[in-house]
Amino acid sequence: MARCGVDVTLLLVALYALLPAITVADLQEGFYKSNTNCSVDVEATVASVVQQYVSADRGVGAGLIRLHFHDCFVKGCDASVLIDPSPVNPDPEKGSPSNGGLRGLEVIQDAKRRLEGACPGTVSCADILTFAARDASNVLSAGAINYGVPAGRRDGLASAAPDATGSLPPPFARLDRLTELFAAKGFTQDELVTLSGAHSVGRAHCGSFAQRIRPNVSESMDAEYGAGLQRRCPADAGDGVAVDQDQATAGDLDNRYYGNVLAGKVLFDSDWALISENTTRRMVEDNAADQARWAAKFIDAMRKMGALDVLTGDQGEIRRFCNVTNSG
Ligand code: HEM
Ligand SMILES: *[C@@H]1O[C@H](CO)[C@@H](O)[C@H](O)[C@H]1NC(C)=O
Ligand SMILES: *[C@@H]1O[C@H](CO)[C@@H](O)[C@H](O)[C@H]1NC(C)=O
Ligand SMILES: *[C@@H]1O[C@H](CO)[C@@H](O)[C@H](O)[C@H]1NC(C)=O
Ligand SMILES: *[C@@H]1O[C@H](CO)[C@@H](O)[C@H](O)[C@H]1NC(C)=O
C-alpha cells in the first residue's frame, strides 16, 4: 500500500512538472535564428517595420498591442484576428463588435511581405503579430517595456466572429464579468488589472462609452472630464469619432492609466470597474504608485498572453498572406 502511494505521488509530481514544461518548450526564443531559409534577421525586420510605422503615428503602436490581446484571447495566438471576410468565410473574428476599431493591420501585412521576400513560407503571421506587439510596447514605453518573445507559433485555419464576441470583454463589463473572462484564459485579477494598463495608450470611439456621458455624466466619472467628453463626442457624432484614452500622454505606455482610474478620468465601465471593489482597488493603487513594478508585471502578463493556446509543430500552417488562409 505504502509503496503504491509513493509511486502514485511521484507520478503525479512528474506529470505536474511536465505540464508547464511542455507549453514552454513548444515555443522558443530566437526560433528563427537557426532557420536556414531566412537570409535576414526576422525579429529585427519586424522591429524596423514597427519602428517606421509607429514613429509616423504612435496610435498604430496602440493598435498593435490591442491586436495581440484580441488575437490571443480568441482561439489562442494564431493570427485568426487577421482573417478578412471572403466567400468561404463571410463572418470572421473581424466582424465581431468586439473588434471594432482595430488598427495596425497594415504593419503586419508589410512585415509579412518583406519576410515572404526573404524567406517564403517560413515566418508565421502569429509570430509576426506577437513580435510586433512587443516592439510597439518597447517604442511606446521608451524602452521600459521590452522582453524576449518565444516563437514558433503557427497560423490558424479558422476564424469566426462569435468566438471573438464570446471571449473578449465588452467595454460595459463589470468586475465579475471581467474576472470571469480573464480567468477563462488563466489570468488572475492582478493580471487583469496589470494588462488594463494598456489603456494608457491609444484611442476609443465614442460609441464604446456613450452611455457613460449621456444623458448625464456617470457618477463614476469625474464631472469635468465627462463634460469634456460630451463636447468631443457630440450626440450626433458619427461612428468614426474617437478620443484619446489618456488625455495627457496618449502616446506613452506607462502607469498613468492607474492615476486616471483613481481620478475617475477613464472611458469605460471596465476601467472604472477595477476600483469597484477593494481588492482590485488596492492593485490599482499599487500600480499607480510604482511604475517599475507595474512594467515588470506587464511584461510577465504579455509573455503569458503570447503563449495562450498556440499552434506549433505541424499544426495549422504558415500563411502566405496574413489576411487569408492558404486554402482561400
Ligand atoms: C479589460 C477589459 C478590456 C476592455 C473591456 C477593453 C475594451 C477596449 C475598447 C472598447 C477599446 C476602444 C477601441 C476603439 O474604439 O477603437 C480599447 C482600446 C484599446 N485596448 Fe482595450 N480593453 C480591455 C483590455 C485590454 C487589454 C488587456 C489590452 C492589452 C494588453 C488592451 C489594449 C488596448 C489598446 C492599446 C487600445 C487602444 C487601441 C487603439 O488606439 O487603436 N485592452 N479597449
Ligand atoms: C488581403 O489583403 C490584400 C492586400 O490588402 C487584398 O488585396 C486582398 O483582397 C485581401 N484578401 C481578402 C480575402 O480580403
Ligand atoms: C523553408 O521554406 C519552405 C518554403 O520555401 C517551407 O516549405 C519550409 O517549411 C521552410 N522550412 C523551415 C524550417 O521553416
Ligand atoms: C440628468 O440630469 C438632469 C439635471 O440634473 C436630471 O433632471 C435628469 O433626471 C437626469 N437624467 C437621468 C437619466 O439621470
Ligand atoms: C473597502 O475599504 C473601505 C476604506 O478602506 C472600507 O471603509 C470598506 O469597509 C471596505 N469595504 C469592504 C467591502 O471591505
Side-chain angles (χ1 to χ4, degrees):
M1 281 301 275
R3 206 191 122 107
C4 176
V6 167
D7 285 350
V8 169
T9 307
L10 279 178
L11 184 66
L12 285 177
V13 166
L15 277 176
Y16 189 77
L18 266 175
L19 286 177
I22 288 167
T23 324
V24 173
D26 275 0
L27 296 176
Q28 216 182 315
E29 262 180 59
F31 180 77
Y32 294 104
K33 290 237 191 295
S34 55
N35 192 316
T36 49
N37 276 357
C38 284
S39 54
V40 298
D41 182 328
V42 171
E43 292 192 45
T45 302
V46 176
S48 85
V49 173
V50 170
Q51 172 74 52
Q52 176 199 326
Y53 280 85
V54 176
S55 52
D57 177 0
R58 292 172 80 81
V60 171
L64 289 168
I65 295 169
R66 181 171 180 237
L67 263 182
H68 179 55
F69 167 47
H70 285 215
D71 184 31
C72 296
F73 258 55
V74 185
K75 290 172 80 331
C77 312
D78 66 345
S80 53
V81 70
L82 302 177
I83 296 293
D84 274 330
S86 68
V88 290
N89 186 8
D91 196 21
E93 290 172 23
K94 271 184 187 171
S96 164
S98 304
N99 278 326
L102 288 183
R103 56 175 165 167
L105 299 126
E106 70 281 12
V107 182
I108 308 301
Q109 193 186 327
D110 197 345
K112 177 64 171 175
R113 192 177 46 75
R114 292 191 207 193
L115 290 169
E116 281 301 291
C119 40
T122 301
V123 185
S124 69
C125 300
D127 278 342
I128 294 175
L129 179 43
T130 309
F131 294 143
R134 178 270 312 274
D135 298 332
S137 303
N138 186 16
V139 177
L140 295 184
S141 70
I145 294 171
N146 198 8
Y147 49 91
V149 171
R153 293 167 193 75
R154 307 265 299 175
D155 298 325
L157 302 174
S159 176
D163 291 339
T165 310
S167 300
L168 293 169
F172 51 81
R174 299 298 169 91
L175 188 59
D176 54 354
R177 184 67 181 140
L178 294 171
T179 302
E180 189 174 70
L181 286 166
F182 275 69
K185 301 294 168 186
F187 286 81
T188 63
Q189 275 192 328
D190 195 57
E191 289 167 328
L192 158 68
V193 172
T194 294
L195 286 168
S196 294
H199 287 176
S200 79
V201 291
R203 66 179 185 189
H205 291 80
C206 297
S208 53
F209 54 88
Q211 88 290 355
R212 293 187 80 219
I213 58 168
R214 211 162 265 117
N216 295 333
V217 172
S218 160
E219 281 172 16
S220 61
M221 189 183 269
D222 176 81
E224 211 174 304
Y225 175 78
L229 292 176
Q230 286 178 333
R231 283 193 300 277
R232 289 193 195 83
C233 290
D236 57 0
D239 289 345
V241 181
V243 302
D244 287 341
Q245 303 215 59
D246 177 341
Q247 296 190 351
T249 55
D252 297 343
L253 183 58
D254 55 26
N255 69 336
R256 282 184 75 120
Y257 167 77
Y258 300 99
N260 293 340
V261 174
L262 292 167
K265 297 179 179 176
V266 278
L267 299 174
F268 311 134
D269 281 325
S270 65
D271 296 318
W272 165 78
L274 303 180
I275 53 169
S276 65
E277 283 182 19
N278 283 349
T279 41
T280 49
R281 167 183 272 274
R282 190 62 180 282
M283 298 166 188
V284 169
E285 289 167 350
D286 288 348
N287 287 333
D290 193 338
Q291 152 76 23
R293 190 148 165 273
W294 166 73
K297 288 197 298 177
F298 188 78
I299 287 171
D300 288 346
M302 287 290 273
R303 281 169 57 106
K304 180 169 169 178
M305 195 149 81
L308 271 179
D309 302 331
V310 292
L311 303 173
T312 57
D314 57 6
Q315 298 173 309
E317 65 181 5
I318 304 294
R319 278 182 215 151
R320 283 188 291 274
F321 298 97
C322 289
N323 61 336
V324 53
T325 59
N326 291 344
S327 62

